[in-house]
Amino acid sequence: MKKILLLLVAMFAFIGNINAQVWDMVVTHSDGTVQVIKASDVKNVTFQLPDQNADQVIIKELYTTGVPIENDPKNFFQMDKGFILYNNGGKTAVISNLAIGILDPYNAHSVANAWYGTGATEPSYVSQGWVPAACGIWYFPNSLIIEPYSQVVICCMGAIDNTKTYPQSINYANKDYYTMYDPESGFKNPKYYPTPADVIPTSQYLKAVEYGQANAWPLSVTSPGFFIFQTKNTTPAAFANDASNITYAPGKAQNKINAVLKVPTDWIIDGVEVYEKINESKSKKRFGSDVDAGYVMQTVKLGHSVYRNVDAVATKKIEGNADKLVYNYQYGADPSHIDAEASMKKGAKIVYMDTNNSTADFHERSQFSLRDK
């Protein structure tokens, strides 16, 4: 309401050919309080939709594993990570202050997870109602709007057409994609963050706050604990820049290398716990059951991703879907056997599993869905 009143006053001043520099804007709020603002202090007036249906947004797919390099079997290309957010419901989702984090330790199979005390069955922070976001966070500078049963692609690094150099990689040169690109934050390693493709608008660049020590956001290739969250009564930048929100794992030196951000669990919208398949027995849970009660496994260096299973019952209930669903899914072990990507191309509306248990909700996919023909 405040912004609407400001805009009306500004418009009347313009129409009446009044010099706004000498006028004050008087705003009366719904509670009766009055605020006086100098017109010269108002740079512009914009409108913003209120937050709504954030709980419908899920992590549909996460790709971190890298791809083989042709004629170089000993190495692989890993600077093309990305993920997809999806509106899993029938109403438009609007989310302000949306941020992305990764858990400490970076890998599920780290030799020493300092958050586990002797004989503990879960990390110490779980009972305290927060999670440790490692190194830095990324955030959307503007509200993110996702239409029903639609998605948003976010490139974590290498926001270019990587297929020109690495044919099995990803082409992120798309005007609709978002990208993590903020060299001023400290995440500026040019190998990870080449200048994004010209077709990606700068308004779709995510911003970052680096409170750890790295020149690239250390999203695990093998086994990330990945989550999205929405700050309450503050912005992601203000929250992450507040030193009182920084802490350190028990027994670790209190320096930038070990700094983590205490993100309240009730701010988390969605999270996925990933284990490297060959290290399942060595891995420890980092999320509590309130975020993710299970985990999904993946194989690295082959271009694989982790992808949501289709909720077949809910998907089939949507009117008009029956004739648009494509079966005989070939990219992984989805119990529904529905090829979600092919079905969406035919106009189907897909509902994905969302039980807060990645063991039931996800499967390993043989290629990032952006590569589907």
Side-chain angles (χ1 to χ4, degrees):
M1 178 59 71
K2 174 182 172 183
K3 291 185 177 179
I4 294 174
L5 290 172
L6 290 175
L7 180 59
L8 289 173
V9 173
M11 289 174 62
F12 288 139
F14 177 79
I15 294 171
N17 196 28
I18 298 173
N19 183 355
Q21 297 295 324
V22 300
W23 286 79
D24 289 338
M25 295 183 179
V26 181
V27 179
T28 302
H29 299 284
S30 59
D31 61 0
T33 59
V34 176
Q35 182 180 12
V36 179
I37 305 173
K38 289 184 178 180
S40 58
D41 291 340
V42 180
K43 183 176 180 180
N44 57 44
V45 178
T46 59
F47 293 93
Q48 180 173 300
L49 289 170
D51 287 359
Q52 49 192 293
N53 305 313
D55 59 341
Q56 292 180 173
V57 176
I58 59 173
I59 300 163
K60 169 188 153 181
E61 186 173 15
L62 176 62
Y63 163 69
T64 67
T65 58
V67 295
I69 299 176
E70 293 187 1
N71 303 317
D72 188 3
K74 293 183 178 181
N75 295 300
F76 70 108
F77 178 63
Q78 58 169 299
M79 300 164 190
D80 61 347
K81 301 167 187 172
F83 63 100
I84 297 176
L85 299 181
Y86 185 80
N87 183 349
N88 206 35
K91 297 180 181 179
T92 298
V94 181
I95 314 175
S96 61
N97 297 321
L98 180 61
I100 299 99
I102 49 177
L103 292 184
D104 176 69
Y106 301 125
N107 300 319
H109 54 274
S110 293
V111 174
N113 185 329
W115 299 104
Y116 276 82
T118 302
T121 58
E122 66 179 13
S124 58
Y125 52 78
V126 171
S127 62
Q128 298 168 23
W130 56 275
V131 299
C135 192
I137 61 167
W138 291 86
Y139 62 93
F140 291 83
N142 303 304
S143 294
L144 183 65
I145 302 174
I146 311 179
E147 297 300 324
Y149 308 113
S150 298
Q151 67 182 34
V152 172
V153 174
I154 300 95
C155 169
C156 297
M157 53 191 65
I160 57 176
D161 184 357
N162 296 285
T163 65
K164 292 180 178 179
T165 305
Y166 306 99
Q168 297 184 56
S169 186
I170 310 301
N171 177 9
Y172 288 114
N174 188 306
K175 64 180 180 61
D176 297 323
Y177 292 177
Y178 287 71
T179 182
M180 295 176 170
Y181 186 73
D182 186 13
E184 292 182 359
S185 70
F187 296 136
K188 59 185 179 180
N189 187 322
K191 292 182 178 180
Y192 289 84
Y193 306 106
T195 302
D198 292 342
V199 296
I200 302 177
T202 56
S203 61
Q204 290 164 204
Y205 291 3
L206 274 67
K207 297 292 186 180
V209 177
E210 180 198 8
Y211 40 81
Q213 185 167 304
N215 59 19
W217 195 51
L219 175 58
S220 173
V221 174
T222 62
S223 49
F226 185 88
F227 65 102
I228 59 173
F229 66 99
Q230 183 183 30
T231 56
K232 307 295 184 182
N233 302 314
T234 186
T235 65
F239 179 71
N241 280 309
D242 185 343
S244 67
N245 296 321
I246 299 296
T247 191
Y248 309 86
K252 291 289 187 73
Q254 297 190 12
N255 54 35
K256 291 191 69 174
I257 294 175
N258 299 313
V260 299
L261 183 67
K262 295 175 63 175
V263 177
T265 306
D266 60 9
W267 286 5
I268 296 177
I269 297 172
D270 195 22
V272 54
E273 180 100 46
V274 185
Y275 288 0
E276 185 179 18
K277 189 173 292 185
I278 62 173
N279 283 309
E280 180 186 13
S281 63
K282 300 177 183 178
S283 298
K284 286 186 175 182
K285 283 284 295 173
R286 291 159 293 179
F287 281 125
S289 59
D290 50 351
V291 177
D292 186 357
Y295 57 88
V296 57
M297 293 187 291
Q298 68 179 10
T299 307
V300 303
K301 304 181 182 181
L302 299 176
H304 293 188
S305 68
V306 292
Y307 188 95
R308 287 266 178 181
N309 296 327
V310 174
D311 184 334
V313 174
T315 297
K316 291 175 182 178
K317 284 183 178 179
I318 296 177
E319 185 176 356
N321 258 3
D323 294 334
K324 299 173 184 176
L325 296 178
V326 179
Y327 292 85
N328 298 318
Y329 179 60
Q330 301 295 314
Y331 293 105
D334 184 332
S336 76
H337 304 294
I338 294 173
D339 188 325
E341 300 297 323
S343 298
M344 284 188 284
K345 288 176 182 177
K346 290 187 63 177
K349 298 173 181 177
I350 300 297
V351 179
Y352 290 94
M353 295 294 296
D354 186 19
T355 68
N356 287 350
N357 185 327
S358 289
T359 305
D361 292 346
F362 281 84
H363 66 271
E364 181 176 12
R365 198 177 198 274
S366 60
Q367 67 178 31
F368 193 10
S369 64
L370 298 186
R371 286 186 50 82
D372 290 8
K373 302 298 183 180

